[in-house]
Amino acid sequence: MSVSLNEIKKPIEKELAAFEIMFRQSMKTKVPLLDTIMTYIVKRKGKQIRPLFVMLSAQLFGDINIRTYRGASMVELLHTATLVHDDVVDDSYERRGFFSINALWKNKIAVLVGDFLLSKGLLLAVEHRDFDLLEILSNSVKEMSEGELLQLERARFMNATEEVYFEIIKKKTASLISSCCEIGAASTTKDPDLQKKMRLFGEQIGIAFQIRDDLFDFGDNKSGKPAGLDIKEHKLTLPIIYAFSKADKKDVKRVKKLIRSNKISDAEKIQQVVEFITVHGGMSYAKEKMNECRDKAFEILESIQAPKDQKQVLQYLVNYVIDRTV
């Protein structure tokens, strides 16, 4: 069943409003330039998918509370910091249809803004002695950094296997979603088994989320992500890796050479790579794996004793994330 994001948010509208207040407060600063940039960031916030995962996970085991809000704020501060830093690393001048921080204020300021956001998230935990939430989030920062570096290393040699791909996205993308679900659970239950189940639930969603993002690279979306960006950046995504595993060595060598080549236009390069992937079943295989991850996540959720209607809202959010075209 397809449910809109607004419908998913409706049952916790008041809680989301309370989170929004805390998040805005956590970004306040007495430095005028920094305050201007923080205002710019807040006004251009995304869909709040990660805070939603925190709150809906928390709600399974008890009432959303002040620790849930702090956990959601910590996650959003970290996520925003990584986006600001990613734009610097990728030389990207646009984010969600608006100018990125580095486009408006240059790289040095953007890096410092990212550092500021990260430190605010850490301080929010330390000031309230939320050391369990801090440990979960700190582990996510470590995993994300390792995943990015592993991806850069493998892309350089064009030799990623499916096993390595899943290792990369577990760290790079799934670690933050799994942290959202674990932090939400930790804010309302002390049961380590339930917290672990929610972490594993979030990990499966995070993997599916990244595969959906991989599929966006082939143009079938309204996300605003330019088609072929991963190809241009030599990122080996699941459709390409699978196609490489099924094609003969001569074809693989030709396509790898094509990806590295600067002699043809980006549009022509993307078209040829997409044709290669489609012929060798890369797209359909990636979709199959994405749906497998969703099914595993739902199995974990089903094994948890919690109100049926609240589990259903979480399922709606999962389906929204995986079925999205934006």
Side-chain angles (χ1 to χ4, degrees):
M1 182 180 173
S2 180
V3 176
S4 73
L5 191 57
N6 284 337
E7 288 175 283
I8 294 166
K9 288 179 176 181
K10 198 163 187 179
I12 55 167
E13 273 178 337
K14 288 180 183 176
E15 289 85 353
L16 279 169
F19 153 73
E20 191 66 34
I21 291 166
M22 178 171 280
F23 181 59
R24 285 171 185 264
Q25 286 174 340
S26 67
M27 295 178 82
K28 285 196 171 173
T29 169
K30 292 178 182 177
V31 177
L33 173 59
L34 200 48
D35 195 50
T36 300
I37 297 171
M38 292 302 105
T39 302
Y40 181 80
I41 289 172
V42 167
K43 283 182 178 176
R44 284 150 188 83
K45 68 183 188 313
K47 302 185 197 79
Q48 298 180 310
I49 297 291
R50 287 156 192 83
L52 264 175
F53 271 115
V54 174
M55 285 187 253
L56 293 177
S57 296
Q59 199 173 237
L60 293 176
F61 311 108
D63 293 332
I64 292 170
N65 56 59
I66 191 68
R67 252 168 62 88
T68 314
Y69 297 142
R70 283 201 297 269
S73 295
M74 287 163 58
V75 165
E76 198 68 349
L77 285 162
L78 166 64
H79 177 58
T80 308
T82 61
L83 295 182
V84 172
H85 282 162
D86 283 351
D87 287 339
V88 174
V89 171
D90 298 337
D91 285 324
S92 177
Y93 296 116
E94 213 176 275
R95 169 71 62 180
R96 296 176 185 139
F98 296 96
F99 285 119
S100 60
I101 303 302
N102 50 306
L104 293 172
W105 287 282
K106 306 302 179 189
N107 284 349
K108 186 174 181 180
I109 288 174
V111 170
L112 293 169
V113 165
D115 293 346
F116 171 79
L117 290 164
L118 183 57
S119 66
K120 290 291 274 187
L122 300 176
L123 282 169
L124 188 61
V126 172
E127 284 167 4
H128 296 92
R129 302 292 187 265
D130 291 324
F131 297 121
D132 56 336
L133 307 187
L134 180 58
E135 184 179 358
I136 294 166
L137 204 57
S138 297
N139 188 58
S140 183
V141 174
K142 175 186 79 75
E143 295 278 299
M144 288 163 72
S145 302
E146 288 177 350
E148 286 285 359
L149 288 165
L150 184 57
Q151 180 172 272
L152 287 168
E153 178 190 12
R154 294 296 176 174
R156 189 184 308 141
F157 297 108
M158 284 273 200
N159 63 346
T161 61
E162 192 173 318
E163 185 183 359
V164 170
Y165 166 82
F166 280 110
E167 184 186 353
I168 289 168
I169 67 170
K170 270 183 188 177
K171 290 176 177 288
K172 180 174 161 286
T173 305
S175 62
L176 186 55
I177 302 287
S178 67
S179 290
C180 292
C181 299
E182 189 177 3
I183 282 171
S187 73
T188 51
T189 178
K190 291 183 179 179
D191 187 328
D193 290 334
L194 291 175
Q195 291 176 21
K196 183 183 178 182
K197 278 190 175 184
M198 290 309 294
R199 183 176 78 245
L200 295 173
F201 166 81
E203 183 175 87
Q204 292 301 317
I205 301 311
I207 294 169
F209 184 95
Q210 183 57 56
I211 296 173
R212 164 55 67 198
D213 209 49
D214 288 355
L215 291 165
F216 279 172
D217 199 53
F218 303 104
D220 184 23
N221 71 92
K222 302 171 187 173
S223 67
K225 176 182 176 178
L229 187 64
D230 290 339
I231 296 169
K232 281 183 260 185
E233 293 178 355
H234 300 180
K235 288 180 183 174
L236 291 182
T237 57
L238 187 58
I240 297 175
I241 291 167
Y242 182 80
F244 281 167
S245 75
K246 294 299 173 185
D248 60 45
K249 287 182 181 179
K250 188 179 176 183
D251 251 4
V252 171
K253 190 175 179 182
R254 175 184 64 80
V255 173
K256 285 186 177 182
K257 188 177 178 182
L258 177 70
I259 291 170
R260 292 190 185 102
S261 174
N262 295 317
K263 292 179 181 177
I264 64 170
S265 70
D266 287 337
E268 192 179 341
K269 182 190 291 187
I270 291 160
Q271 185 185 348
Q272 288 189 44
V273 173
V274 170
E275 282 173 7
F276 167 80
I277 290 164
T278 305
V279 165
H280 292 93
M283 299 284 280
S284 54
Y285 180 76
K287 286 175 184 173
E288 184 185 313
K289 282 292 179 183
M290 180 179 73
N291 289 327
E292 275 180 24
C293 290
R294 168 168 42 194
D295 292 345
K296 284 180 187 174
F298 285 168
E299 281 175 23
I300 294 167
L301 192 60
E302 194 57 40
S303 73
I304 293 169
Q305 295 242 334
K308 190 177 178 181
D309 58 334
Q310 291 173 359
K311 286 202 282 191
Q312 191 173 53
V313 176
L314 201 45
Q315 285 180 331
Y316 289 153
L317 179 59
V318 170
N319 284 328
Y320 172 83
V321 162
I322 291 172
D323 297 335
R324 78 196 196 280
T325 57
V326 293

